[in-house]
Amino acid sequence: MNVLVLNCGSSSLKFQIIQTDLEAIKNDQDKVLARGVIERIGSQAIITLRAVGQPALKTAEPIRDHKAALNYIINWITDPNTKIEGIKELSDIHAIGHRVVHGAEQLVKSVLIDDNVIDQIEDCIPLAPLHNPPNLKGIYAARDAFPGLPQVAVFDTGFHSTMPEQNYLYAIPYQLYRRFKIRKYGFHGTSHRYIAYRYRKIKGIERDKVNIITLHLGNGCSACAIKGGFSLDTSMGMTPLEGLVMGTRSGDIDPAIVEFLIHNEGATVEEVFNVLNKRSGLLGISGLTNDMRDLLEEEREHQDRRARLAIDIFCNRVKKYIGAYIAEMNGVDSICFTGGIGENSPEIRARCLSNLDFFGIKLDEELNQKAVGIKEMKISAEDSRIEVYVIATNEELLIARDTVRVVLNVPRIW
Ligand code: ADP
């Protein structure tokens, strides 16, 4: 089955075409046929498209909205010069899988999209005003472009639905949970689920033996405590603003800061949340950039004090969550790094895990240095009490696999 996987952000559309079926899933032989991204939708868009085995096509063109972006991709897919293996016309795409950020309590498992599911995703908009609307735009566009084709929604929040009440409730009046469903939902669930799945494969163990901490460190960052193969706790909350320090998001802060800024700066609620979402985190502390690569360079080349401070605060927050989750789980077998920073920065991994001798965590420096841009690798020393892995995430693959299983009505195996 050829699955088109769509991931629509506020001004971007990422896609992959993945050939997979139940046999390929079992044998881990799924095949990526093409991938691409259209960024800056709404203005002069930057377009990168690539059929596997062919040179990448890079161009810039005005693209009005997500519908126009999808049409651009469709024209490219069906262009005879494109040459995607096994795909000549649109009917060679057999199903579509959508990343949907927030499914709240009602949408947990990956599901075939119908009008009722769309209504429910719309109902979640107040909980994810930045994310669900572009996800829905992708769904509407795909329904128009591929009428009658099965479409599946896979939710970022889904994996965390197993968190117990004591971990997902905030210590605010219980009625607020009852009335508004204010609670921790957690995000990056497909990524944490993928890392847990790969870890199980690497170790050759059953799901109930997976007791790990996964650290997704990219532009958005989150940690997850996975016990017995299920999400026990995670750092993001009702929205993706809580938890670790991120590129531009603050992560955990004292909520009284919001009131303080409103009263003392004369800021509106929207302005304060704009600061917390877009002008905080690494960017806010350093005053330079949200890009970890550039911060590391500033620190190294120019001894920039605030770049160093931003990195130190970032790593210390990760460390605090590691400590909290080790305590909450009564010990873990492994810590797994993923995401752009987790997969590519030996230095950040080392700083997050420094001075954790009490837990017996020891990196193998050489292996840590080697683990850059690789698929998966153990980086802890032989005598480390807790193993440490780098595992490259692959949310698109899980979305494609879930799509196959939902379309064929086969329950999730993992
Ligand atoms: P997103 O969350 O948008 O998917 P990514 O997972 O691609 O983001 O992560 C982006 C982050 O990864 C950026 O901060 C970038 O600087 C960082 N990054 C990528 N490569 C490296 C590297 N070699 N060293 C340090 N940071 C890196």
Side-chain angles (χ1 to χ4, degrees), residues 14 216-220 290-293 296 339-341 344-345:
K14 289 190 205 158
H216 181 114
L217 308 180
N219 252 320
N290 61 328
D291 193 302
M292 186 59 97
R293 243 172 322 200
L296 285 165
I341 299 172
N344 294 299
S345 180

